[in-house]
Amino acid sequence: MLKVGMVGMGGISRSHRNSWKQIPEAKVICVCDIRPEKADDAASDMNAKAYYDFDEMLAGEQFDILDICLPTYLHADFAVKALNRGINVLTEKPISLKKEDVKRVYEAAQRNHVRFMVAHVLRWWREYVFLKDAVDSGRYGKLLSGHMARLGNTPKWSWDNWMRDPERSGLVPFDLHIHDLDWIIYEFGKPAKIVSHRSGNSDQDYINVIYEYDGFFIACEAAWFDCDFKFTSNFRFQFEKAVIEYKDGVLKTYKKSGGVETLEAEANANENGINLPASNGYFNEIRYFTDCVLAGKDCEMLKPGELETVLDIIDVLNEGSKTIR
Ligand SMILES: NC(=O)c1ccc[n+]([C@@H]2O[C@H](COP(=O)([O-])OP(=O)(O)OC[C@H]3O[C@@H](n4cnc5c(N)ncnc54)[C@H](O)[C@@H]3O)[C@@H](O)[C@H]2O)c1
């Protein structure tokens, strides 16, 4: 039985906790949050021990996996600390706001012969897996264009308002757009050209980017709107022989030959605890990471070079941005 420790028991930790409950080879034995009520609540949810200080948890417990659900700016330092103690680490996205951390974290994992992975959940999200297969198989002919969007309201709920602090969260490019960008780099590699526009600040932040490749392009949008805007993640990809659209949690394939096919709803989708359509993406990524740890294998689904490319591109988006107000 693998023993798991978790740190950062805020919003996203609920999806991770629900997933760990479904992994028979692992048991969450300890959880940590500097807000005692969050740690206590998660501890009773998981039948685990609560800690309010990470160093105390590291000193007081022996565990095989650390699952990091902390604010973004803390991911790399906490990961390295645990890796250096021989603990396998899964961290929420992004790995860091700084590219140099990719090398630092992976070197710590290698030095200590343990596994490290960033939880870029779209790589395991059913509709994005379907899309990848449609591109790779070529069953609808050549890809012509794509559109990906991730829009929501300005996050005012995060601990200490860290999300709206550019130094700690990186705002919309790191909070939202990085999901789609990571998937794009995973699937297509580096684009030939990037055209981006941005308007915003920590109250409202909107980014619009076109990634150009040989023969097709992908237009993306991501935003925090300062109003009661319901979160949406969607895409629409145009192939020679079909259009695949994912909208309101439903994926449809519109065929040139006629007819529309709808991907059946997932019978056993998790309650993911955040405002996203139900999917087993969180379970799938945690299952994959657990299998890598059990097999003593690197997490090859996610390569450090891809993470570096994503951080390089976000630098370009930030440099090329137009900030209003
Ligand atoms: N994959 C996804 O779909 C997804 C969705 C939401 C958030 N995220 C990522 O998850 C991370 C966390 O986001 P969130 O929305 O859960 O944030 P949050 O503010 O709700 O939770 C963060 C928690 O960390 C705790 N914390 C802060 N400093 C700490 C410390 N030093 N030691 C222990 N606990 C500490 C806070 O008290 C808080 O409970 C972010 O990096 C975000 O990018 C991913």
Side-chain angles (χ1 to χ4, degrees):
M1 179 69 80
L2 292 169
K3 291 180 182 167
V4 181
M6 297 182 73
V7 61
M9 295 295 101
I12 194 63
S13 78
R14 172 79 56 188
S15 316
H16 287 228
R17 282 189 258 150
N18 287 344
S19 301
W20 283 118
K21 285 176 192 169
Q22 296 178 46
I23 308 273
E25 302 92 335
K27 161 89 183 87
V28 175
I29 60 153
C30 51
V31 298
C32 172
D33 199 294
I34 49 171
R35 290 186 290 179
E37 70 280 12
K38 291 286 177 191
D40 291 346
D41 179 51
S44 80
D45 180 33
M46 302 305 289
N47 195 17
K49 185 163 175 191
Y51 285 85
Y52 314 134
D53 178 280
F54 183 61
D55 289 329
E56 275 180 28
M57 185 165 96
L58 275 185
E61 302 286 342
Q62 296 272 345
F63 50 97
D64 307 290
I65 292 175
L66 175 68
D67 181 359
I68 299 178
C69 296
L70 288 166
T72 295
Y73 67 102
L74 298 172
H75 293 175
D77 285 349
F78 277 64
V80 168
K81 199 179 248 193
L83 293 165
N84 281 339
R85 288 186 169 240
I87 299 170
N88 302 280
V89 173
L90 174 72
T91 182
E92 252 310 332
K93 49 54 71 170
I95 185 170
S96 171
L97 301 171
K98 295 179 287 184
K99 182 182 171 185
E100 55 268 29
D101 278 338
V102 176
K103 203 165 171 225
R104 184 164 74 95
V105 170
Y106 273 90
E107 278 180 358
Q110 266 172 2
R111 215 174 33 247
N112 294 287
H113 309 289
V114 284
R115 312 300 136 209
F116 169 78
M117 193 177 93
V118 184
H120 273 297
V121 69
L122 292 193
R123 294 178 183 228
W124 288 271
W125 200 276
R126 186 166 170 254
E127 288 78 5
Y128 293 78
V129 173
F130 180 96
L131 174 62
K132 183 178 190 338
D133 184 57
V135 176
D136 293 349
S137 67
R139 64 180 182 268
Y140 301 123
K142 278 199 299 197
L143 176 63
L144 303 176
S145 74
H147 183 270
M148 304 180 91
R150 202 159 287 272
L151 314 167
N153 55 357
T154 305
K156 297 184 177 172
W157 53 84
S158 62
W159 163 77
D160 198 33
N161 216 7
W162 72 268
M163 282 270 222
R164 293 169 71 199
D165 176 355
E167 301 299 318
R168 292 190 286 174
S169 77
L171 305 182
V172 159
F174 282 94
D175 180 42
L176 293 183
H177 180 53
I178 199 166
H179 284 287
D180 295 322
L181 175 56
D182 174 77
W183 188 87
I184 288 169
I185 298 307
Y186 165 56
E187 178 59 11
F188 302 113
K190 282 184 197 174
K193 189 176 168 193
I194 301 171
V195 181
S196 81
H197 295 277
R198 182 166 173 196
S199 72
N201 54 28
S202 55
D203 291 332
Q204 301 226 41
D205 194 9
Y206 174 82
I207 187 161
N208 185 305
V209 195
I210 298 181
Y211 298 106
E212 294 188 11
Y213 289 86
D214 188 16
F216 65 95
F217 61 91
I218 302 169
C220 296
E221 288 185 289
W224 293 341
F225 296 127
D226 193 9
C227 56
D228 202 7
F229 193 92
K230 189 169 176 287
F231 179 81
T232 172
S233 62
N234 55 65
F235 63 70
R236 189 182 58 247
F237 276 70
Q238 173 202 12
F239 297 82
E240 286 173 312
K241 293 188 260 177
V243 171
I244 301 180
E245 184 182 48
Y246 176 51
K247 195 171 83 175
D248 300 329
V250 179
L251 185 141
K252 291 187 176 175
T253 305
Y254 298 83
K255 296 191 174 169
K256 189 174 175 181
S257 58
V260 184
E261 279 175 12
T262 303
L263 190 66
E264 287 301 311
E266 221 171 354
N268 58 347
N270 285 350
E271 170 52 56
N272 61 36
I274 56 173
N275 184 19
L276 280 175
S279 167
N280 276 336
Y282 297 104
F283 168 78
N284 295 341
E285 72 185 356
I286 288 175
R287 177 73 259 177
Y288 173 80
F289 181 70
T290 306
D291 287 340
C292 290
V293 170
L294 287 169
K297 280 196 336 202
D298 285 343
C299 304
E300 287 174 355
M301 273 283 286
L302 225 132
K303 304 204 169 40
E306 294 167 342
L307 300 175
E308 288 177 333
T309 299
V310 164
L311 295 183
D312 275 343
I313 290 177
I314 292 182
D315 270 351
V316 173
L317 303 184
N318 284 334
E319 279 165 22
S321 68
K322 282 188 288 183
T323 304
I324 55 163
R325 278 192 285 160

